[in-house]
Amino acid sequence: MHEALNKRLASLPDDTVVYPGHEYTKSNVAFTISVLQSDPVKKLQAFADSNKVTTGKFTIGDEKAHNVFMRVQDPAVQKATGATEPVDVMNKLRDMKNNFK
């Protein structure tokens, strides 16, 4: 997951539009706001609350700003996970998300 998100997808131009296969924005932002309460995440939450469909509305640049799984080197994310190595942070985030209610 780290390789796919933070090496391959993150290397695309920031203006690349993202078309995920499933609509997970609302559940993802609920989890993300519990880990990282940055302005981009708060804006995403407001957008998700106001729009039924979010697919195709974001770019790789947006994802780098608000996708907690693409922010494994962010000190706030590292603090929330208790890990600093990117793969360890990713694993902790995945466990946290799997258990998030």
Side-chain angles (χ1 to χ4, degrees):
M1 190 171 177
H2 173 64
E3 172 77 23
L5 288 176
N6 296 309
K7 294 190 177 180
R8 297 186 189 271
L9 291 178
S11 71
L12 295 171
D14 281 351
D15 62 350
T16 303
V17 178
V18 178
Y19 289 92
H22 300 282
E23 183 61 61
Y24 292 131
T25 303
K26 291 177 194 281
S27 65
N28 285 346
V29 78
F31 168 70
T32 298
I33 203 81
S34 76
V35 175
L36 182 66
Q37 297 180 7
S38 66
D39 286 339
V41 175
K42 290 175 184 175
K43 288 179 185 176
L44 175 63
Q45 184 178 38
F47 182 84
D49 289 346
S50 301
N51 292 276
K52 183 176 181 181
V53 177
T54 62
T55 300
K57 304 294 183 184
F58 297 101
T59 64
I60 289 294
D62 295 326
E63 291 293 325
K64 288 182 199 176
H66 60 63
N67 184 331
V68 73
F69 292 99
M70 294 183 83
R71 301 197 54 85
V72 296
Q73 295 186 7
D74 184 308
V77 175
Q78 292 177 348
K79 182 178 179 182
T81 62
T84 57
E85 293 298 318
V87 172
D88 294 337
V89 174
M90 182 70 73
N91 287 334
K92 294 274 189 175
L93 286 170
R94 188 70 258 170
D95 286 343
M96 291 166 66
K97 175 78 163 78
N98 288 346
N99 295 303
F100 184 76
K101 296 193 185 309

